[in-house]
């Protein structure tokens, strides 16, 4: 991805580009699952992390030149979109600041595969459970902070409360289930304890982090994009969709490896001769799952989601024109 942008970013002294591209909307049709999936495959592409500072600045320059109408004529539409994707992967959409490396969406796969792999390898002892659940929730906090809204930033206090509650929930769930399954369940069931802990943490972390939206509502607009108010019920639906996406996103990487690892352990394949191979093997399996699960699960619900006007609060619904039947909102990630 990063190495594909190799054009002269300087402005031509005689001609400028005649490209007509809407960089404010995704390149692919967001009304279809396949279009949303293609969009998120570009957003979460781990290869974007390999881009140098020079390549990132070149991509930023191309995007800014196009917005100013000064893009050189030798830049193609594909090169412009490659620059836009690389720019979006590294720079905050509201503030324009370069984002912390491991907090970027393109870092989701390599970071999650490593943390999840180690969390699922070392899940039996109390110190290991506490340590890896803490590491996992610390990474989630970094992602949440890095991708915070620039117009309506999440207060540090809210992030802190969310971090503490999610870590407590994940650790408590893991330790509690470990104590139950070690006596009454098969070893395979025990391998699913980390997934239950992650699911519990998501159910607490995301609503807590976005608690102001549940209290004050999120912006809603009509089909033409005109803002028509704020709705708490829209916020509740948006947060529910994000929680479902996050839990489903974790399923392949945390449901498939336990079956493979348990089978290999029972058969004595590889692990008896090379006991150190458990962690890297599990990380690799999870990585393959997450490469596909991350973008595909982000695409389950449209980024610009919608709901019927009849489901809105009465005070919000009464202010809308009678012709409005659906409202639209950004569900978040």
């Amino acid at each position: 991805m990063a190495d594909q942008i190799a054009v002269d970013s300087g402005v031509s002294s005689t001609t400028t580009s005649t490209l007509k591209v809407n960089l404010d909307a995704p390149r692919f049709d967001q009304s279809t699952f396949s279009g949303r999936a293609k969009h998120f495959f570009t957003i979460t592409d781990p290869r974007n992390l390999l881009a140098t500072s020079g390549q990132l600045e070149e991509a930023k320059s191309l995007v800014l030149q196009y917005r100013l109408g000064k893009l050189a004529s030798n830049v193609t539409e594909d090169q412009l979109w490659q620059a836009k994707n690389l720019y979006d992967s590294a720079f905050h959409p509201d503030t324009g600041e370069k984002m912390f490396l491991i907090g970027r969406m393109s870092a989701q796969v390599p970071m999650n595969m490593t943390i999840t792999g180690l969390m699922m390898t070392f899940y039996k002892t109390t110190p290991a459970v506490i340590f890896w659940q803490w590491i996992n929730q610390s990474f989630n906090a970094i992602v949440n902070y890095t991708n915070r809204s620039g117009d309506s930033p999440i207060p540090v206090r809210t992030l802190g409360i969310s971090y503490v509650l999610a870590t407590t929930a994940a650790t408590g769930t893991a330790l509690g289930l470990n104590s139950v399954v070690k006596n009454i369940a098969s070893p395979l069931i025990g391998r699913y304890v980390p997934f239950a802990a992650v699911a519990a943490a998501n159910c607490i972390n995301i609503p807590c982090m976005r608690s102001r939206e549940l209290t004050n509502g999120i912006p809603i607009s009509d089909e033409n994009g005109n803002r028509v108010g704020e709705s708490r019920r829209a916020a509740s639906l948006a947060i529910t969709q994000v929680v479902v996406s996050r839990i489903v996103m974790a399923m392949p990487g945390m449901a498939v490896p336990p079956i493979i690892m348990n089978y290999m352990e029972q058969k004595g394949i590889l692990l008896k001769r090379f006991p150190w191979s458990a962690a890297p093997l599990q990380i690799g399996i999870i990585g393959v799952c997450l490469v596909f699960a991350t973008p595909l699960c982000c695409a389950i619900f449209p980024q610009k989601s919608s709901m019927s006007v009849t489901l809105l609060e009465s005070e919000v619904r009464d202010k809308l024109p009678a012709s409005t039947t659906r409202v639209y909102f950004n569900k978040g990630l």
Side-chain angles (χ1 to χ4, degrees):
M1 178 67 69
D3 57 0
Q4 293 175 339
I5 301 174
V7 299
D8 180 8
S9 61
V11 179
S12 171
S13 59
T14 56
T15 58
T16 56
S17 175
T18 57
L19 291 177
K20 299 297 181 182
V21 177
N22 181 13
L23 293 185
D24 294 325
R27 186 178 191 179
F28 307 104
D29 182 6
Q30 297 299 285
S31 66
T32 66
F33 176 78
S34 62
R36 296 194 296 272
K38 290 177 182 177
H39 170 67
F40 281 109
F41 266 110
T42 63
I43 296 297
T44 61
D45 190 340
R47 293 176 296 173
N48 289 330
L49 295 174
L50 302 177
T52 65
S53 295
Q55 289 172 321
L56 293 178
E57 291 301 325
E58 181 181 359
K60 179 179 180 179
S61 176
L62 286 176
V63 172
L64 295 180
Q65 286 175 18
Y66 178 77
R67 293 191 186 283
L68 294 173
K70 299 179 180 180
L71 188 66
S73 60
N74 64 327
V75 179
T76 67
E77 181 175 340
D78 283 342
Q79 289 169 335
L80 180 59
W81 276 113
Q82 289 163 10
K84 178 64 164 52
N85 292 335
L86 190 56
Y87 172 76
D88 287 347
S89 76
F91 295 92
H92 194 281
D94 295 327
T95 66
E97 297 176 352
K98 189 180 294 185
M99 294 185 287
F100 188 48
L101 186 69
I102 66 172
R104 301 174 190 173
M105 287 302 294
S106 50
Q108 286 291 294
V109 171
M111 290 299 299
N112 273 325
M113 64 183 277
T114 303
I115 294 173
T116 304
L118 293 171
M119 184 166 55
M120 294 181 68
T121 300
F122 306 106
Y123 66 94
K124 295 182 178 180
T125 67
T126 297
V129 168
I130 294 174
F131 178 76
W132 287 111
Q133 292 296 339
W134 169 67
I135 288 292
N136 188 45
Q137 294 308 319
S138 296
F139 170 65
N140 288 339
I142 291 173
V143 172
N144 292 336
Y145 181 77
T146 302
N147 294 279
R148 68 197 184 282
S149 170
D151 292 332
S152 181
I154 303 170
V156 175
R157 181 174 180 273
T158 300
L159 284 171
I161 293 174
S162 173
Y163 170 59
V164 171
L165 290 178
T167 302
T168 302
T171 304
T173 301
L175 292 176
L177 290 178
N178 269 345
S179 66
V180 172
V181 302
K182 69 180 180 181
N183 295 321
I184 64 174
S186 69
L188 177 60
I189 299 299
R191 291 182 181 274
Y192 285 103
V193 168
F195 171 67
V198 168
N202 276 327
C203 291
I204 293 176
N205 183 24
I206 297 170
C208 181
M209 181 185 67
R210 298 176 62 175
S211 59
R212 289 203 306 173
E213 297 178 17
L214 292 171
T215 302
N216 303 324
I218 58 175
I220 55 175
S221 60
D222 59 22
E223 60 181 4
N224 297 317
N226 301 311
R227 183 166 173 169
V228 293
E230 292 80 31
S231 169
R232 295 184 300 277
R233 291 187 180 177
S236 179
L237 178 58
I239 291 170
T240 299
Q241 290 178 343
V242 172
V243 170
V244 170
S245 294
R246 295 277 188 95
I247 292 176
V248 175
M249 188 186 302
M251 279 184 179
M254 302 189 82
V256 176
I259 298 174
I260 297 174
M261 298 301 292
N262 195 63
Y263 175 81
M264 295 182 73
E265 190 173 273
Q266 289 180 339
K267 298 297 183 180
I269 302 173
L270 190 65
L271 300 183
K272 280 189 176 180
R273 289 188 61 187
F274 308 102
W276 52 266
S277 65
L281 180 61
Q282 194 148 234
I283 289 172
I285 297 172
I286 292 171
V288 172
C289 293
L290 288 179
V291 164
F292 297 97
T294 300
L296 291 178
C297 292
C298 283
I300 292 175
F301 302 104
Q303 188 67 36
K304 185 180 180 182
S305 196
S306 67
M307 65 188 299
S308 171
V309 167
T310 59
L311 299 177
L312 294 172
E313 305 93 315
S314 58
E315 64 271 21
V316 177
R317 185 172 60 246
D318 293 343
K319 295 179 181 178
L320 300 177
S323 59
T324 303
T325 59
R326 295 194 73 80
V327 292
Y328 300 82
F329 54 89
N330 181 1
K331 73 174 178 65
L333 289 174

